[in-house]
Amino acid sequence: MRSLSRKQIVLLAVLLLVVVIGFFAVRWATYARPPLPEAVEALASDDVVQMTQDPWLTFTPAHVTPSAGFIFYPGGRIDPRGYAPLMRAIAEAGYLVVVPEMPLNMAVFRPNTADDIIAAHPEVSHWVIGGHSVGGTMAAQYAGAHAETVDGLAIWASYPADNANLSGDALPALLIYGSLDPRVNDASVTKRLPLLPPDASIVRIDGGDHHQFGSYKINPDEHHATLDRLSQQQQIVQSTLGLLETVSAAR
């Protein structure tokens, strides 16, 4: 058998390197923090909430005609199922809840997904859009550009970007953050307050952090909360339901 030349060996090594790099690049780009067991359990349908996963995660009250709908954009690189416990609790209160999966698990790549969700549910007259982390930033951007279709905005552990100035809007809005979030904290939220509608509600969860806005796996060094996850999420759900009730009552 003829041995390979030095040039052929170098070429094969380069091709192998490209394949390896490509493999890990795809894994990195498509990675999403997986849901915790309690989040998976919250995906089951019962006599209170009917749940479907195609084309989006949709939580529908079983015996109540929804008075409003809640569209929720997931945080970056987080499996949408990681928000199931909170979304289920909101649906149990009588609201349609829809959580889309985003390309590469980043809402920045499809910020107008809400268009398709709203079009698919003509039975719902009023919509609140929200999101966690970068999903909240994209939700604010969508709300600012669609004042005619969005009736409320719920931002979780995030704030509007500079190109989404909502200060001139009369949109009911809510911003929730944890006091121990390293990035979305007292200083950064205060800096972005001028971008929010003037009557926006700001909720600071003492002892809460960034990742307990969902139920998904994180590294130990990313856990900053001193408040337990259930208590933080109860406050998140209660505040978000307050916004939904305000929107429903005003329309």
Side-chain angles (χ1 to χ4, degrees):
M1 177 182 292
R2 185 170 62 90
S3 60
L4 296 175
S5 68
R6 181 181 179 84
K7 183 178 181 179
Q8 289 172 321
I9 292 174
V10 171
L11 179 60
L12 287 173
V14 170
L15 290 175
L16 179 60
L17 180 62
V18 169
V19 170
V20 171
I21 292 174
F23 172 77
F24 284 103
V26 169
R27 287 196 63 184
W28 180 87
T30 58
Y31 174 77
R33 298 174 187 268
L36 292 173
E38 58 263 36
V40 175
E41 292 175 5
L43 295 169
S45 294
D46 58 20
D47 58 354
V48 179
V49 174
Q50 295 297 304
M51 197 277 155
T52 58
Q53 299 191 47
D54 185 27
W56 314 288
L57 298 186
T58 303
F59 301 79
T60 306
H63 302 294
V64 178
T65 300
S67 57
F70 183 47
I71 299 169
F72 186 82
Y73 286 0
R77 297 165 65 78
I78 298 172
D79 189 312
R81 296 175 298 170
Y83 299 98
L86 298 102
M87 301 301 124
R88 184 182 190 87
I90 293 171
E92 288 175 351
Y95 300 98
L96 176 72
V97 180
V98 183
V99 186
E101 182 176 359
M102 295 296 185
L104 301 181
N105 300 297
M106 293 290 289
V108 295
F109 294 122
R110 194 178 289 163
N112 292 327
T113 297
D115 288 343
D116 298 330
I117 295 172
I118 292 171
H121 292 281
E123 75 280 7
V124 177
S125 301
H126 311 299
W127 291 96
V128 170
I129 189 168
H132 173 225
S133 194
V134 69
T137 299
M138 292 300 100
Q141 179 176 304
Y142 184 89
H146 297 81
E148 72 285 355
T149 55
V150 173
D151 302 306
L153 171 66
I155 303 174
W156 294 4
S158 186
Y159 34 66
D162 291 336
N163 64 348
N165 191 333
L166 307 173
S167 61
D169 298 342
L171 185 73
L174 167 69
L175 190 156
I176 315 173
Y177 70 103
S179 66
L180 299 180
D181 188 326
R183 294 171 294 172
V184 184
N185 49 38
D186 294 340
S188 60
V189 168
T190 299
K191 182 179 178 181
R192 297 296 179 121
L193 285 180
L195 297 174
L196 291 168
D199 295 328
S201 297
I202 310 300
V203 175
R204 179 182 187 269
I205 300 178
D206 290 332
D209 72 355
H210 191 83
H211 291 296
Q212 287 191 164
F213 279 81
S215 298
Y216 51 84
K217 294 180 181 178
I218 62 172
N219 297 323
D221 61 350
E222 296 175 304
H223 180 76
H224 302 284
T226 56
L227 183 68
D228 65 273
R229 179 182 289 107
L230 179 59
S231 296
Q232 179 168 340
Q233 292 186 356
Q234 286 175 336
Q235 293 186 52
I236 295 165
V237 169
Q238 181 180 16
S239 296
T240 304
L241 286 176
L243 174 64
L244 283 159
E245 290 165 5
T246 296
V247 168
S248 299
R251 302 293 169 172

